């Protein structure tokens, strides 16, 4: 492997990590909690992924998501 190919591989890995950290992770976390995926992706770009993760974890599920979970649980029983 040449030095150039190693650099290209490193750039590709960095881009994949950035995509995951700034797009896929916040979208998945937001959807799981019943929140807007697009809004949280934008927020992650503004405030940083670390703060976005902390805020999402502190906020928890949306009220609508909690209601849906309760209704689903009631229908199971």
């Amino acid at each position: 492997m040449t030095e150039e190919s190693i650099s290209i591989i490193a750039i590709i890995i960095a881009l994949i990590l950035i995509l995951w950290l700034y797009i896929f992770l916040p979208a998945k976390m937001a959807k799981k909690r019943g929140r807007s995926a697009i809004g949280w992706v934008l927020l992650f770009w503004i405030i940083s992924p670390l703060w976005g993760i902390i805020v999402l974890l502190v906020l928890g599920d949306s009220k609508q998501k909690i209601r849906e979970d309760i209704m689903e649980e009631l229908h199971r029983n």
Side-chain angles (χ1 to χ4, degrees):
M1 281 181 133
T2 67
E3 191 173 309
E4 184 177 313
S5 63
I6 293 173
S7 296
I8 291 172
I9 292 171
I11 290 171
I12 291 171
I13 291 171
L15 287 173
I16 290 170
L17 179 63
I18 289 169
L19 280 174
W20 179 79
L21 194 59
Y22 281 92
I23 296 174
F24 299 119
L25 178 65
K28 183 177 179 182
M29 286 182 70
K31 282 183 183 179
K32 180 179 177 186
R33 288 164 178 77
R35 301 189 178 276
S36 166
I38 293 172
W40 281 96
V41 168
L42 293 174
L43 191 63
F44 268 51
W45 281 94
I46 294 169
I47 66 171
S48 91
L50 177 62
W51 284 110
I53 290 168
I54 292 169
V55 171
L56 261 175
L57 291 174
V58 168
L59 288 176
D61 291 345
S62 68
K63 290 179 183 179
Q64 181 65 32
K65 174 77 166 110
I66 293 169
R67 283 188 205 110
E68 290 171 4
D69 290 346
I70 290 170
M71 293 304 292
E72 185 179 312
E73 187 65 30
L74 288 173
H75 287 289
R76 273 194 220 152
N77 295 331

